[in-house]
Amino acid sequence: MQISMTINGKEYSHDIEPRISLAQYLRENLNLTGTHIGCDTSGCGACTVTVDGAAAKACTLLAVQVDGSEITTIEGMANGNEMHPIQEAFKENHGLQCGFCTPGMVMTAADILKNNPNPTDEEIRHGLEGNFCRCTGYHNIVKSIQHAAEKINA
Amino acid sequence: METFIGKPIKRREDARFLKGAGKYTDDIKLMGMTHSAFVRSPYAHAKILSIDTAAAEKAEGVVAVYTGSDACGTFGVPCGWQVDFKNGETMREPLHPLLAKDKILHVGEAVAIVIAETLELARDAAELVQVSYEALPAVTCPKKAMEAGAPKVHDQWEDNAAFDWCIGNDRTEVEAALESAHHVTEMTYKNHRLAPNAIEPRSYISDYDVNADKWTLYTSTQNPHLIRLLLCAFVLGIPEHKVRVLSYDVGGGFGSKIYHYTEEALLTWVSKEIGRPVKWTSDRTEAFLTDAHGRDHIVHSKMGFDEDGKIVAHLTDEYCAMGAYLSTFAPAVPTYLHGTLFQGVYTTPLIHLNVVAPFTHTVAVDAYRGAGRPEATYLLERIISKAAKEMDIDPAELRYKNFIPPFNGTSEPGFQTQVALQYDSGNYHGVLKRGLEMLGYEDFRKEQAEARKNGKLIGVGISTYIEGCGIAPSAVVGSLGARAGLYEVGHVRVQPTGKVSVFTGAHSHGQGHETVFAQFVADKLGIHMDDVDIVHGDTDQVAFGMGTYGSRSLAVGGSAIIKSVEKVLEKGAKIAAHKLEAAESDLEYAEGKWTVKGTDKSISFGDVSLTAYVPHDYPEGVEPGLDFSSFYDPTNFTYPFGTHIAVVEVDPDTGKVDLQRFVACDDVGNVMNPMIVDGQIHGGVVQGVGQALLEEVIYDGEGQMVTGSYMDYAMPRADDVPNIETDRTTTPCPHNPLGVKGAGEAGAIGSTPAVVNAVVDALSHLGVTDIQMPVTPKRVWKAMQTQA
């Protein structure tokens, strides 16, 4: 099937099999390998991207389902070498270790802060419940998102 | 001059990860690369009657299909540790074939591999492979596996035991002491099976270059050199120098990526057969079915006390599952990494542990974060808390009574345990005191008494752990059955401009080596850490290495680098003395330069480096260059310790446990980067909490795994846990140059019993004395009903 979408501000058009997930499409067709696949079942959240402004798990969306959408992936967060405040906050607060869940965490964090610019720790933890991290115990991820909120609101 | 050791330096790794530019194995694409999919057994125990690959071979895009009847079927992956039976019989070591040929021994065992142009086509074709099985009865519980008439895992032996083993004092002596003890506390429980669950699934690409007759294996491993050695010398019989193993970014390991897996070897074989690169990436269910698991011990234990509450004896019998085959380190886990920690932090004079390690119709069990030590700590810390309740002594008080007194390992000797090891240095009173302060223990007890009056169920649980880290020394592990040395390699290459490349055999998969190793190298050389680059994960660049596990990277790998730094400075001093026309003994090195003592005559590290590579004016008899490699084999393990305290509230109606606070006071020796140490503790603690409250791999009676996805296996999510309150005491390791002990596993080792102790404490006034982990709402509610 022919699909076209805007990804990180750029137009793409491909003829792909209907069974290809958005995550596979991003990784295999566009070489946007920052979107990671940790489970295939929406369980781990490593593949989180935004579709028309809302966080979505790219492993359980078919690429054809989001035909015509605007997608942002982790590669679209930084402005050249200037990292997004959320990315900066993760670095400053050691909000990542192995880095595999990190793209999904950053994209989910963006979604949390978009909907709630001043979240409590509890609201952040609730917002992160679709994303697994096996390294950090979440402590520094929560701290990073609080710090990012302060930066963005400043 | 700016120094770096001990500071919370932000990680240089982070930028690439945060931008989605990490280079994990599955992110790599090679020209002409093929993809693969496995056909795996749906049965735990079965005869393979026939395999028909004809339809798959003809399917669209298929390059090749292989089964155990092909040449690859004769190869098997080896075990790296030999533990013989107590009676002298050699450990039973079955061939672990790359593809099962006649018999299936666990669900998920690979029967065939299909290689195709795309992943989708490989998976389509794999579904066309017809395998006919005759299902057989299976046994998955290690205790049941040793019962008469249990289904046999390997037909060639009379029973399912892989080996048995014991450690400590004479059993009859320990039994006699228990007989005459004032009080004996007894426990029977299961330290249940866990799936490590690194979020990055295992992934491999093998690329055979026919013209060079060389392989490149890209692999998500913690252990690149050991993988190359095992693959070449013990599996495929190919020359080691013809294989380059590359392990770039690895998305977590926790033990599960230490081992040499069948898929790595099979892909290496396949890439030569087809003359093209081939990739395989596990999906999550395959990961549950085929990654080595952790724990799975059935435990029966007795601890005896005198009238003052001093421990007089400890006797434990365990059945510890090995799974269907022996994974790389598996035999060491319930033995030398477990029994040797049975002294704990206590003066127990008599200890005996007996282990029976059976094969089961399950995937292999091997080291998972902590590896044997969480199991030892769970036992000691649960039984001492249970004993405290039974004897009506405060659990903190009972620990204080039994602690080994503080010792620094230099002016005071190390502590000789009853179970082979000698502890390096420790102050167990210090961490408990600080942990109780952090919690506000006395106030909590008052609050608890009040809460109980109102029907609120709150509890506190203490755990005071010790662990053996920095796994090595080689002579010791060799005498204990290890088939490899456990030193580490550190290579320091000073470039002509004075910039430094460090090559380490340790491997970072989240630990931040690229930052931390640069911190201490910079300080030791008196240069900026931006001038130090850390290289790891490439067998062509790094001379050799034993990888990262057992909290060994800094204690062993860091020490190897320090040895090379010292050699650089030693040779540098010769060059400096020549250039300064002074005696070496008159020089001192500080802040990146050699100075003639008492003068302002000096030469910088950079100038000496350049001289070493442009040796026009150069000391006689000294070789050019400034490039040293060292092997460091430590004299002892390191012994981090700490106190973990959990506070929980139990919902009286549902039995749901709410972990409200978690306090961790750890002593990991000297700290290079406190930010990273705290991060290691946080993550470890939550993994341990996961075992206590949520996680369990369950096989049913037929050997089917019923927890094979994230829908069924409960890992801790962000809203399951609180912030972790951390602090430290510092008792340096006396036997390595940085005085470090290791922090990677501490959290997972100390936390589990603290949580379960807290749950039991919350319910103790209702008569609850023990609850099997994971303490799910169902189990807690049932325990409450049974007692009420």
Side-chain angles (χ1 to χ4, degrees), chain B residues 610-691:
Chain B
L610 190 62
T611 308
Y613 288 91
V614 188
H616 297 165
D617 175 17
Y618 205 66
E620 211 171 303
V622 177
E623 278 180 35
L626 209 44
D627 189 318
F628 288 99
S629 186
S630 306
F631 283 61
Y632 176 81
D633 202 349
T635 53
N636 194 359
F637 291 79
T638 63
Y639 300 91
F641 55 91
T643 289
H644 288 185
I645 307 176
V647 172
V648 301
E649 178 168 0
V650 177
D651 184 321
D653 297 323
T654 64
K656 185 171 187 314
V657 175
D658 179 23
L659 179 62
Q660 297 191 320
R661 286 183 67 190
F662 198 97
V663 167
C665 180
D666 298 279
D667 192 320
V668 298
N670 290 338
V671 168
M672 298 293 111
N673 184 325
M675 176 189 83
I676 285 179
V677 168
D678 283 344
Q680 290 292 316
I681 300 295
H682 296 155
V685 163
V686 170
Q687 271 178 307
V689 168
Q691 174 169 26

Side-chain angles (χ1 to χ4, degrees), chain B residues 374-661:
Chain B
E375 297 92 319
T377 303
Y378 187 78
L379 168 56
L380 292 175
E381 296 308 303
R382 271 294 295 129
I383 203 166
I384 198 162
S385 282
K386 187 165 183 273
K389 290 269 192 257
E390 289 170 2
M391 295 189 288
D392 199 22
I393 303 174
D394 181 273
E397 188 53 39
L398 187 59
R399 286 174 168 83
Y400 278 132
K401 268 180 197 290
N402 283 285
F403 276 154
I404 297 162
F407 59 104
N408 61 23
T410 49
S411 59
E412 298 138 347
F415 180 85
Q416 181 58 51
T417 70
Q418 302 297 316
V419 279
L421 301 178
Q422 189 185 39
Y423 294 163
D424 55 354
S425 58
N427 179 0
Y428 314 123
H429 290 77
V431 281
L432 179 54
K433 185 166 169 280
R434 179 70 194 118
L436 295 174
E437 270 170 21
M438 287 164 72
L439 183 86
Y441 186 64
E442 284 173 23
D443 289 344
F444 178 84
R445 286 297 185 197
K446 285 178 205 149
E447 189 192 328
Q448 185 183 36
E450 278 305 305
R452 280 183 179 173
K453 287 182 201 156
N454 305 321
K456 227 176 124 182
L457 304 173
I458 59 173
V460 61
I462 299 171
S463 156
T464 48
Y465 73 90
I466 186 164
E467 50 166 335
C469 289
I471 178 168
S474 298
V476 175
V477 296
S479 70
L480 304 180
R483 289 167 171 171
L486 283 172
Y487 47 82
E488 196 45 85
V489 182
H491 179 173
V492 175
R493 174 172 300 155
V494 182
Q495 312 287 0
T497 52
K499 309 293 180 194
V500 176
S501 303
V502 176
F503 303 86
T504 174
H507 182 276
S508 184
H509 31 280
Q511 296 87 344
H513 295 171
E514 290 167 41
T515 303
V516 177
F517 287 11
Q519 285 179 250
F520 71 78
V521 169
D523 274 13
K524 297 291 171 188
L525 290 175
I527 60 179
H528 197 279
M529 66 178 281
D530 288 351
D531 293 336
V532 181
D533 191 33
I534 306 297
V535 178
H536 67 95
D538 179 352
T539 59
D540 268 12
Q541 289 195 75
V542 181
F544 199 67
M546 297 308 297
T548 285
Y549 41 83
S551 308
R552 69 193 298 277
S553 295
L554 195 54
V556 188
S559 300
I561 295 168
I562 292 287
K563 266 184 87 171
S564 289
V565 166
E566 284 166 358
K567 290 176 189 173
V568 164
L569 291 177
E570 206 179 305
K571 183 170 177 182
K574 287 187 176 31
I575 301 167
H578 175 83
K579 296 290 277 187
L580 294 170
E581 296 175 339
E584 259 182 77
S585 57
D586 289 337
L587 299 187
E588 58 189 2
Y589 188 74
E591 299 193 348
K593 60 186 182 197
W594 283 271
T595 305
V596 182
K597 284 177 207 161
T599 74
D600 59 358
K601 276 177 71 182
S602 68
I603 183 166
S604 72
F605 180 73
D607 285 337
V608 165
S609 305
L610 190 62
T611 308
Y613 288 91
V614 188
H616 297 165
D617 175 17
Y618 205 66
E620 211 171 303
V622 177
E623 278 180 35
L626 209 44
D627 189 318
F628 288 99
S629 186
S630 306
F631 283 61
Y632 176 81
D633 202 349
T635 53
N636 194 359
F637 291 79
T638 63
Y639 300 91
F641 55 91
T643 289
H644 288 185
I645 307 176
V647 172
V648 301
E649 178 168 0
V650 177
D651 184 321
D653 297 323
T654 64
K656 185 171 187 314
V657 175
D658 179 23
L659 179 62
Q660 297 191 320
R661 286 183 67 190

Side-chain angles (χ1 to χ4, degrees), chain A residues 27-41:
Chain A
R27 291 178 57 79
E28 298 301 323
N29 294 62
L30 306 182
N31 293 319
L32 293 171
T33 54
T35 299
H36 296 154
I37 300 174
C39 74
D40 299 314
T41 53

Side-chain angles (χ1 to χ4, degrees), chain B residues 71-149:
Chain B
C72 57
T74 59
F75 302 117
V77 295
C79 177
W81 206 297
Q82 183 176 332
V83 177
D84 293 335
F85 282 86
K86 290 188 287 187
N87 68 7
E89 187 193 333
T90 306
M91 178 176 80
R92 294 169 181 168
E93 195 173 352
L95 180 82
H96 185 181
L98 305 190
L99 291 170
K101 191 175 170 191
D102 306 311
K103 199 106 184 271
I104 293 298
L105 299 182
H106 68 91
V107 163
E109 187 164 9
V111 177
I113 183 171
V114 177
I115 297 104
E117 298 294 341
T118 69
L119 177 62
E120 292 73 26
L121 294 173
R123 287 182 173 176
D124 286 347
E127 291 192 6
L128 301 175
V129 174
Q130 297 291 322
V131 187
S132 167
Y133 301 95
E134 179 189 329
L136 299 167
V139 63
T140 59
C141 163
K143 191 173 180 199
K144 285 187 183 154
M146 291 307 297
E147 287 171 2

Side-chain angles (χ1 to χ4, degrees), chain A residues 18-30:
Chain A
R19 62 171 167 173
I20 300 297
S21 71
L22 175 59
Q24 282 290 93
Y25 174 64
L26 293 170
R27 291 178 57 79
E28 298 301 323
N29 294 62
L30 306 182

Side-chain angles (χ1 to χ4, degrees), chain A residues 19 27-28 31 34 38 40-41 43 74 87 92 94 97-100 121 125 129 132 134-136 138-139, chain B residues 11 18 20 24 26-27 29 124 195-196 284 368 675 679 682-683 687 695 711 716-719 721 723-724:
Chain A
R19 62 171 167 173
R27 291 178 57 79
E28 298 301 323
N31 293 319
D40 299 314
T41 53
I74 188 68
Q87 292 170 313
E92 283 169 38
H94 192 32
Q97 290 181 25
C98 80
F100 195 80
D121 276 11
R125 285 182 180 273
E129 67 178 4
F132 275 136
R134 195 59 156 168
C135 294
T136 65
Y138 305 103
H139 180 112
Chain B
R11 301 198 321 170
L18 282 161
Y24 302 92
D26 191 58
D27 299 338
K29 281 184 191 172
D124 286 347
R284 183 52 54 184
Y368 164 56
M675 176 189 83
H682 296 155
Q687 271 178 307
E695 298 178 36
M711 308 296 159
R717 294 188 180 274
D719 56 353
V721 287
N723 283 330
I724 312 297

